[in-house]
Amino acid sequence: MPIWLLLLLGLGLLLLLQKWRLLRLGSSLPGPWAFPLLGNAQMVGKLRPEFIFLVFTELRDRFGATYRLWLGPQLWVFLHTAEETREALHDATLRKAETFLQLEPLIGNGLLISHGAHWTQQRRLLTPAFRPILLRSFSPSVAKHADRLIQRLVATRGTFLELTDPLFACLLDAIVDTSMGGQLDTQSVAHSPFVGAFHRSSQLLFKRMINPLLASDWVFQRTQLWRELSEQLQVIHTLMDSLIERRSAQLEQQADVAPRKALNLLDTLLLAKIDGEPLSRKQIRDEVNTFVFAGVDTTTAAMSFVLYALAKNPEAQDRLLEELRQLPPHGSTDLDALNELPYLDALLKEVLRLYTIVPTTGRQTTCSTVIGGRTYCAGVTLWINMYGLAHDASYYPDPYVFRPERWMQETTTLQQDVASSSFSYIPFSGGPHVCIGRRYALLLMKQLTAHIATAFRLELRPGEPELTLQAQMVLKAREGIHLAFKKR
Ligand code: HEM
């Protein structure tokens, strides 16, 4: 036998031995037929982003609550029950899914994808930047950007417009202002290069994440996609570096007069010391990029759906307005007053359930672990289906109906009680990695909703397509939502 054939056979045998436990696990799980070596990569790679979750839900109907896909040599397992989800989200041996590591060029080893001791340290360091007293102090800045948005909407004179673009600019300005003390003013320019760079880099990164053929860095870095991504990232990194330098200089000046105090996330990072050493500029940039990346897209999508839901359900709009009219003067900037409004709270909860802004998240097994009574070996990617849970009829009767009242005390059903206490309602995930920005996101959403709903009556463009499962992905594709804002 020629030596090259022997070597090839030896290599094949070694691979088989290495992957043996994975192969055994994969073949014990139901799932669609998989090609040798390629698995189901061809099927997943061909999916358009807006259909990916639709297909995953169809597969759940065909193969049951726990099924598998093979992405080449990678084994993906989809979990769907609330109990399995709870166990997976609390399992300290799991890491973030390898797919998310592809965000590295934008967010480095930031909180969203880091793990182990580094993650614990960063999480502990950053948690104080989201304490209620600081969040409350953000209200006037958020109100300033919300007012700017209102002016832009007034200027449209009640004609139909695509609303995700103006919302994105408003939230980018508000988040950079409140978390870094920087004034981007993207709302004042027609085509901000920063808005373009954030949009495009998210799109390009997402394109890569759902294409298993681009998983290898070596392959990806030889594509046109990578070249374009690098250009967009350059714009973002240059901007963030300049904001960090400016804030650092301001803090230095303040130090001459009084002890320096962290007033926002960037201050927390600039003043932090780990083992007596300050964080490097790259570490700081990675974290602020993480917050902008994790915060702006999600709150833009969430607010787009709030406004869409209000336009589609005029009775919800009337009920909200009635509640908002009982607020004291300037109540829409008073976070405590806004937190007392039960209908506003229920409305946001229902939007986050029905439109599940983050429809799924993934984890990677690092060693043998038991979840839902099944043993998983190392190297499995577990996908948690927040969308599927939020639309499970056993928790939410008529799950596809928009009904904020289901969250109000007087109408809460037994199923709802179970849903709130179990892991079926996890728009911000759960366990130790629960969204660190969840209270901040709700503050932004409550203030913006109150400002807009008080100023305008919202109307849906006739013939606007129904937004359902693939809505989040459609938004990413920038087809957007068209509404008219009629001055009250
Ligand atoms: C409606 C808006 C938002 C939604 C639906 C949302 C959702 C989520 C979800 C589901 C996760 C967990 C992912 C996982 O378990 O793998 C997460 C994590 C995270 N979110 Fe949010 N998020 C929102 C807004 C924000 C905002 C405004 C910020 C910050 C400015 C933020 C920063 C983060 C960070 C840093 C993490 C990683 C936390 C960790 O792993 O320790 N998010 N978010």
Side-chain angles (χ1 to χ4, degrees):
M1 191 182 286
I3 189 99
W4 63 266
L5 192 61
L6 262 177
L7 275 174
L8 207 67
L9 280 174
L11 202 69
L13 201 67
L14 199 72
L15 264 175
L16 196 71
L17 279 176
Q18 263 184 354
K19 297 276 174 189
W20 176 243
R21 298 181 73 187
L22 213 59
L23 282 168
R24 219 177 41 184
L25 174 66
S27 51
S28 73
L29 288 163
W33 192 79
F35 284 99
L37 297 177
L38 265 186
N40 308 102
Q42 215 197 6
M43 176 192 102
V44 177
K46 267 197 319 210
L47 287 177
R48 286 188 29 210
E50 56 268 41
F51 292 121
I52 204 153
F53 293 102
L54 202 61
V55 172
F56 291 166
T57 304
E58 273 170 19
L59 290 174
R60 177 201 179 178
D61 295 341
R62 261 173 71 199
F63 297 107
T66 313
Y67 67 86
R68 62 98 192 111
L69 289 180
W70 282 104
L71 272 277
Q74 291 173 41
L75 177 61
W76 281 10
V77 177
F78 292 77
L79 306 176
H80 288 96
T81 70
E83 187 46 32
E84 276 180 321
T85 301
R86 193 187 60 75
E87 285 181 33
L89 289 175
H90 282 96
D91 189 324
T93 68
L94 302 184
R95 288 183 187 177
K96 290 285 173 92
E98 253 164 39
T99 319
F100 294 156
L101 304 188
Q102 294 171 4
L103 296 171
E104 199 273 340
L106 175 62
I107 62 177
N109 198 18
L111 198 63
L112 194 64
I113 53 177
S114 60
H115 63 267
H118 179 74
W119 173 81
T120 312
Q121 194 179 54
Q122 295 300 94
R123 179 94 190 191
R124 204 170 291 148
L125 186 105
L126 293 166
T127 300
F130 293 90
R131 60 189 192 277
I133 188 158
L134 260 192
L135 293 184
R136 254 188 224 109
S137 73
F138 295 164
S139 284
S141 304
V142 176
K144 180 179 76 187
H145 299 290
D147 286 342
R148 182 77 196 94
L149 175 66
I150 302 282
Q151 284 167 22
R152 292 184 83 189
L153 296 176
V154 168
T156 63
R157 296 173 188 275
T159 53
F160 290 100
L161 92 150
E162 197 292 297
L163 68 94
T164 56
D165 279 338
L167 276 176
F168 186 93
C170 171
L171 283 156
L172 179 64
D173 282 356
I175 289 180
V176 169
D177 186 357
T178 52
S179 65
M180 304 178 70
Q183 302 303 319
L184 284 191
D185 248 351
T186 53
Q187 291 207 83
S188 312
V189 261
H191 300 288
S192 155
F194 308 132
V195 172
F198 276 108
H199 267 330
R200 193 67 192 133
S201 48
S202 303
Q203 270 175 355
L204 295 169
L205 286 164
F206 187 71
K207 257 190 182 173
R208 181 190 181 191
M209 280 166 75
I210 58 160
N211 186 347
L213 302 176
L214 298 177
S216 138
D217 284 344
W218 191 88
V219 173
F220 181 58
Q221 284 167 7
R222 275 151 189 81
T223 62
Q224 175 56 29
L225 226 62
W226 164 253
R227 281 185 286 279
E228 198 192 336
L229 179 65
S230 306
E231 278 168 28
Q232 302 297 341
L233 290 180
Q234 192 55 41
V235 176
I236 297 176
H237 292 332
T238 311
L239 167 72
M240 289 304 176
D241 286 342
S242 75
L243 289 171
I244 295 168
E245 284 316 318
R246 198 174 312 158
R247 188 72 188 175
S248 169
Q250 280 171 358
L251 282 178
E252 283 304 320
Q253 277 172 3
Q254 282 170 19
D256 299 338
V257 231
R260 294 176 299 177
K261 222 168 101 189
L263 297 179
N264 58 35
L265 174 89
L266 179 54
D267 293 359
T268 308
L269 290 160
L270 284 166
L271 297 176
K273 291 242 164 60
I274 293 179
D275 299 329
E277 290 295 318
L279 302 185
S280 72
R281 283 293 190 261
K282 160 99 171 67
Q283 275 175 311
I284 295 179
R285 192 181 73 191
D286 286 348
E287 291 302 347
V288 287
N289 277 348
T290 298
F291 281 84
V292 174
F293 175 79
V296 181
D297 252 357
T298 46
T299 44
T300 300
M303 273 312 298
S304 303
F305 289 123
V306 169
L307 301 183
Y308 169 79
L310 285 174
K312 199 165 184 299
N313 301 279
E315 65 297 338
Q317 233 181 117
D318 292 343
R319 189 159 177 190
L320 178 65
L321 186 66
E322 201 184 301
E323 197 178 66
L324 291 172
R325 285 199 168 136
Q326 287 159 22
L327 279 173
H330 309 297
S332 59
T333 42
D334 178 346
L335 195 56
D336 292 325
L338 287 174
N339 281 338
E340 289 299 310
L341 303 181
Y343 192 71
L344 176 62
D345 195 60
L347 179 99
L348 299 190
K349 273 198 174 123
E350 182 66 347
V351 167
L352 292 174
R353 181 195 70 80
L354 184 60
Y355 299 107
T356 329
I357 309 303
V358 179
T360 184
T361 186
R363 296 287 186 269
Q364 200 75 27
T365 58
T366 58
C367 58
S368 179
T369 189
V370 179
I371 291 165
R374 191 189 303 273
T375 304
Y376 292 93
C377 57
V380 183
T381 306
L382 298 172
W383 290 104
I384 288 157
N385 187 349
M386 278 96 115
Y387 184 90
L389 287 168
H391 294 80
D392 186 331
S394 61
Y395 292 123
Y396 307 100
D398 306 322
Y400 293 93
V401 175
F402 176 74
R403 194 185 296 145
E405 291 75 13
R406 65 170 94 232
W407 297 102
M408 301 190 70
Q409 224 140 45
E410 70 268 23
T411 45
T412 305
T413 62
L414 185 64
Q415 288 113 311
Q416 224 69 59
D417 278 344
V418 177
S420 331
S421 58
S422 82
F423 260 58
S424 81
Y425 185 73
I426 45 166
F428 295 107
S429 189
H433 283 275
V434 65
C435 175
I436 196 171
R438 61 200 183 286
R439 290 194 197 92
Y440 182 31
L442 287 171
L443 167 147
L444 290 163
M445 289 172 69
K446 285 193 174 174
Q447 265 193 257
L448 272 183
T449 306
H451 265 69
I452 296 173
T454 316
F456 303 102
R457 185 164 49 79
L458 311 181
E459 278 178 22
L460 201 58
R461 187 171 66 168
E464 189 72 7
E466 182 83 9
L467 291 181
T468 51
L469 178 65
Q470 60 284 51
Q472 154 90 348
M473 299 301 135
V474 172
L475 277 185
K476 289 232 185 256
R478 310 310 300 156
E479 283 169 31
I481 302 177
H482 296 82
L483 300 187
F485 293 79
K486 310 263 179 180
K487 193 95 190 69
R488 287 196 191 273

